[in-house]
Amino acid sequence: MKKLLFILFTIFSVNLYSQNKEFNIEKSIYYLASDQLEGRFPSTNGDTLAVEFVENVFKDFNLQPLFNSFFQEVVFKDIHSLSQNSKQAGPKSKLSRNVVAMIQGSDPVLKNEYIVIGAHLDHLGYGGPMSGSRSKDINKVHYGADDNASGVALMLDLARKFSLNPTKRSIIFIAFACEEKGLNGSKQFLEALPFETKKIVAMLNFDMVGKLKNNNLTVGGIKTSNKSEKIVKKYSYKYNLNLKLSKSGVAPSDHASFYAKYIPVFYFTTGADSTYHTPMDKPENINYKGIELLSSYTFDIANDLANRKTKLKFRKTKDTKSNPVKSTLKVSLGIMPDVTGSTDDGLKAEIVSKDKPADKAGMINGDIIIELNGKKVKDIYAYMDILSKIEPKSTISAKIKREGRIKEIQIKL
Ligand SMILES: [Zn+2]
């Protein structure tokens, strides 16, 4: 009897631990965005510590690997290596890792269908001219607390919740490598799948979810299925969220790789602010209560998707080009456009960089560009298209909208 009690006690305490999981969103972000992890640049020591951290959390939650282990190797070209090696050799191919786990569905048939919940783990390391840093402080750790330790922590929190609440369909959790390098992690994940891509019912992507303000949340991809818009609205009321909806399945983040394979996608982001891609993107600037709220909201959405009777029907959205902001142009206004397409009447300048042409011409954060040189700027694609035909050092006339009023300005490049 004593022995039995002891065994029972042991089982009970193990369960208690596993329900407790010792996991904490805030602590995870402080760790992932610490000096020790050095900005999680792919294939560095900081990257290794980050992928091992995610693996350990998956293990704590008793998740199973989807592949032979929790790791999937991801190849990328390190353009930083160009400056150190001879140019003729070209950029070096290096390796990083996706961390992938699964919770098997409880329904004998539906368990062969999947929901994928993902967030990219990599960031810009020490910055530098080729990294995508917006800061002049090169060789300073770019912590990437919002971009995207926040998304990874939210994804892990959902893994914790679903490990205690299994669903009919299976759910895959993934921390993507090399998003900042060109979505390599998500693309290579889809190529390595042990089942057909059409078995993925939906993909949820979290990229920069740590800056919830006034409960404003952007959800992208809502026209990539027949039911997405209805679903995201339905659960938002409970949490008093103000949704900014964007139709397209294309954006410079990992869900775009899934959309390209005809999978309905949901892209959650609280948007960029002035700390974006700078060393100031630190854990102390994160809204932790906000992430908790988004975790509850997106749990409801994923739970619905993983249990509903019928699958979502994929829909193509209008945009067909990919990665608009990451292509290179000869000219730049010095703004960071709102890539989520949350405005209908033009392109919003989320951030206007100091002392750059747009700033000098009097633009401020939040201005909406309606026209450039007499041509309508409907969206990011029109904007890129117009800029691609403009020569350096010319002057552009721009119509912008600010608080409902339209202004005309001249931007000297
Ligand atoms: Zn990101």
Side-chain angles (χ1 to χ4, degrees):
M1 187 64 184
K2 249 188 192 165
K3 204 174 169 190
L4 182 69
L5 273 177
F6 176 74
I7 291 169
L8 279 174
F9 177 76
T10 317
I11 293 170
F12 181 67
S13 54
V14 165
N15 274 342
L16 205 69
Y17 166 74
S18 62
Q19 296 203 7
N20 202 349
K21 315 277 188 192
E22 290 183 8
F23 172 79
N24 174 305
I25 290 175
E26 185 166 348
K27 273 191 204 155
S28 304
I29 293 175
Y30 266 90
Y31 176 67
L32 291 171
S34 62
D35 278 305
Q36 197 189 354
L37 269 73
E38 300 176 288
R40 307 183 305 280
F41 192 85
S43 198
T44 60
N45 189 40
D47 181 41
T48 302
L49 290 173
V51 300
E52 285 172 357
F53 170 79
V54 174
E55 183 200 28
N56 284 329
V57 176
F58 284 158
K59 282 182 177 168
D60 280 350
F61 298 162
N62 294 319
L63 270 49
Q64 355 169 343
L66 175 70
F67 303 112
N68 293 332
S69 78
F70 286 103
F71 297 130
Q72 181 208 353
E73 284 193 340
V74 173
V75 188
F76 74 100
K77 292 236 187 292
D78 184 7
I79 48 175
H80 283 67
S81 61
L82 255 186
S83 48
Q84 289 140 27
N85 301 322
S86 91
K87 289 230 163 134
Q88 280 167 332
K92 252 192 193 166
S93 281
K94 288 191 177 174
L95 288 177
S96 179
R97 288 173 286 178
N98 286 333
V99 197
V100 192
M102 181 174 72
I103 299 174
Q104 184 127 65
S106 58
D107 184 277
V109 179
L110 293 180
K111 70 173 187 191
N112 296 315
E113 293 180 358
Y114 301 84
I115 308 294
V116 175
I117 298 179
H120 77 85
L121 184 59
D122 61 304
H123 195 56
L124 309 180
Y126 285 90
M130 311 282 265
S131 73
S133 170
R134 296 172 50 248
S135 166
K136 284 176 195 146
D137 291 330
I138 55 166
N139 291 324
K140 261 199 171 174
V141 176
H142 286 54
Y143 298 99
D146 187 34
D147 187 12
N148 184 31
S150 68
V152 172
L154 202 161
M155 179 273 290
L156 293 173
D157 196 47
L158 290 176
R160 179 183 65 82
K161 288 175 178 165
F162 282 110
S163 72
L164 304 168
N165 300 280
T167 52
K168 290 179 182 165
R169 294 190 174 84
S170 300
I171 306 185
I172 292 169
F173 298 90
I174 173 161
F176 294 113
C178 305
E179 187 268 354
E180 308 278 5
K181 299 261 154 287
L183 315 183
N184 306 40
S186 47
K187 285 178 192 161
Q188 291 175 36
F189 167 73
L190 285 162
E191 281 158 22
L193 276 186
F195 49 79
E196 292 169 285
T197 48
K198 66 175 183 204
K199 294 286 180 194
I200 301 178
V201 172
M203 192 272 174
L204 283 70
N205 184 29
F206 297 95
D207 197 353
M208 301 171 67
V209 289
K211 300 279 174 93
L212 190 71
K213 216 171 142 189
N214 304 326
N215 277 17
N216 290 326
L217 174 70
T218 296
V219 187
I222 56 127
K223 289 288 185 202
T224 61
S225 93
N226 56 335
K227 291 275 178 353
S228 303
E229 184 168 3
K230 222 175 151 185
I231 295 170
V232 298
K233 282 183 176 166
K234 181 179 166 189
Y235 295 103
S236 68
Y237 304 119
K238 190 167 143 194
Y239 302 100
N240 276 324
L241 285 164
N242 312 312
L243 299 184
K244 292 203 281 175
L245 300 178
S246 144
K247 296 170 186 170
S248 171
V250 180
S253 188
D254 290 303
H255 61 283
S257 308
F258 290 76
Y259 171 73
K261 300 275 186 195
Y262 311 115
I263 296 165
V265 293
F266 295 82
Y267 166 39
F268 300 95
T269 181
T270 50
D273 65 10
S274 59
T275 67
Y276 173 74
H277 281 198
T278 73
M280 287 310 295
D281 181 6
K282 290 178 167 181
E284 50 265 45
N285 300 325
I286 297 294
N287 177 359
Y288 294 97
K289 285 244 163 66
I291 301 179
E292 303 276 355
L293 185 107
L294 297 183
S295 171
S296 302
Y297 169 58
T298 54
F299 174 84
D300 286 353
I301 292 174
N303 195 47
D304 178 318
L305 296 170
N307 286 312
R308 64 171 38 234
K309 266 193 197 147
T310 50
K311 290 204 300 189
L312 305 180
K313 286 195 185 85
F314 176 78
R315 297 263 194 272
K316 260 193 183 168
T317 55
K318 271 185 192 154
D319 312 317
T320 46
K321 295 171 201 167
S322 67
N323 265 4
V325 269
K326 287 188 178 172
S327 68
T328 44
L329 290 172
K330 283 182 285 182
V331 299
S332 156
L333 304 188
I335 63 161
M336 203 189 69
D338 169 21
V339 293
T340 62
S342 60
T343 40
D344 287 334
D345 48 355
L347 180 71
K348 188 159 113 192
E350 199 81 59
I351 296 164
V352 178
S353 301
K354 218 170 169 265
D355 298 330
K356 294 282 167 62
D359 176 49
K360 285 183 181 159
M363 273 182 69
I364 60 170
N365 292 358
D367 281 352
I368 297 168
I369 303 173
I370 302 170
E371 270 183 36
L372 287 176
N373 280 351
K375 287 181 199 129
K376 283 235 159 19
V377 179
K378 285 198 315 288
D379 52 25
I380 181 86
Y381 305 105
Y383 171 78
M384 300 297 284
D385 196 48
I386 297 167
L387 283 193
S388 70
K389 286 162 196 152
I390 290 173
E391 288 303 314
K393 296 198 173 157
S394 48
T395 299
I396 314 174
S397 66
K399 253 190 202 162
I400 57 168
K401 198 161 113 179
R402 185 182 302 164
E403 288 166 355
R405 293 220 184 123
I406 293 176
K407 284 181 78 159
E408 218 171 316
I409 56 167
Q410 303 294 319
I411 305 174
K412 273 199 192 119
L413 296 171

